[in-house]
Amino acid sequence: MITRRDLLKMGLGAAALCATGNPLFAAAKAKKVPIALQLYSLRGDKRPFPEVLKAVAEIGYDGVEFAGYHNFSGEALRKILDDNGLKAAGTHTGLKQLDDKNFNATVELHQALGAKFVNVPGMPESMRNSVDAIKSTAEKFNAWADKLAPFGLYIGYHAHGGDFKMVDGKPSWDRLFEATKPEVVMQLDVGNCLMGGGDPYATLKKFPGRTKSLHVKEHSPKRNAPICEGEVDWKKIFDICETIGGTEWYVVEQEQYRTTPIASVTAGLNNLRKMGK
């Protein structure tokens, strides 16, 4: 029979294990994050777009991130997603689509898709090459965050290698996210970060809760390795994302291929599933 003293000892032991970072407790804190495919990965696929989406579902992805809509309305795309059991993890939306003329249409499109992350895929160097430029850019992102919030949408920014250039002694990426509200999503691209000389592990830790959407891109000398077959320590990345990162979607992106695009994104997902993702 377990006594009250035994229970107290067990409780103290559990607290000690938790305090020392016991992996069992870390696993309990971690969460299951769905995996989407950035559709730019299949930009060369010549099949009709609905067939491409069907193929992504058949591979086993949970969702997709859009990088173009192939002349389909948001409502039509939502039906295709629903028919194939896919979710919209977000979009890559250009700066022009956020101006006053296009803003309402952008909101309506995302609401139709059921996508809450409006991620800017890149910006001119002039918006991030000086302290003053980054400050001005941060103000724009903060304003977009406020405008999108009533609709349940989030503005985000996706990383490229150039975002990790030093600006007055600090990476421009760090300057941007230090100057933006917590609601502005940091869509770190792991491969691009490493390619630009950044440290994705330190970056994720520096901005807890900001990486609601992570681009899962491998880093390798030939830049064509499927996910988990390059130099990235994915276990370390995922541990950070699933404990302090606030990550809601992993988004696989494959820009170059050893064989075919569809084979590469299939291999990447299979490797992630082997990791338990």
Side-chain angles (χ1 to χ4, degrees), residues 154-174:
Y154 294 82
I155 191 71
Y157 179 62
H158 168 263
H160 286 277
D163 291 305
F164 299 92
K165 289 182 179 179
M166 291 294 180
V167 174
D168 196 18
K170 184 180 292 188
S172 64
W173 181 269
D174 289 23

Side-chain angles (χ1 to χ4, degrees), residues 131-149:
V131 173
D132 287 342
I134 294 169
K135 181 180 178 181
S136 176
T137 297
E139 290 171 356
K140 289 182 172 66
F141 274 86
N142 286 336
W144 286 325
D146 289 341
K147 287 182 70 176
L148 289 169

Side-chain angles (χ1 to χ4, degrees), residues 3 7 15 25 83 91-92 95 106 111 114 118 122 127-128 133 136 143 145 162 187 189 209 229 260 265 275:
T3 67
L7 287 171
F25 283 86
D83 289 347
T91 70
H92 272 190
L95 291 168
T106 296
Q111 289 180 324
V118 186
M127 293 179 68
R128 52 180 170 83
S136 176
Q187 192 181 50
D189 182 306
E229 297 181 29
T260 65
V265 300
M275 286 187 67

Side-chain angles (χ1 to χ4, degrees), residues 49-71:
F49 195 49
E51 293 184 20
V52 172
L53 293 175
K54 182 180 180 181
V56 171
E58 289 173 344
I59 292 168
Y61 282 92
D62 302 304
V64 295
E65 182 180 66
F66 287 94
Y69 309 102
H70 300 261
N71 297 315

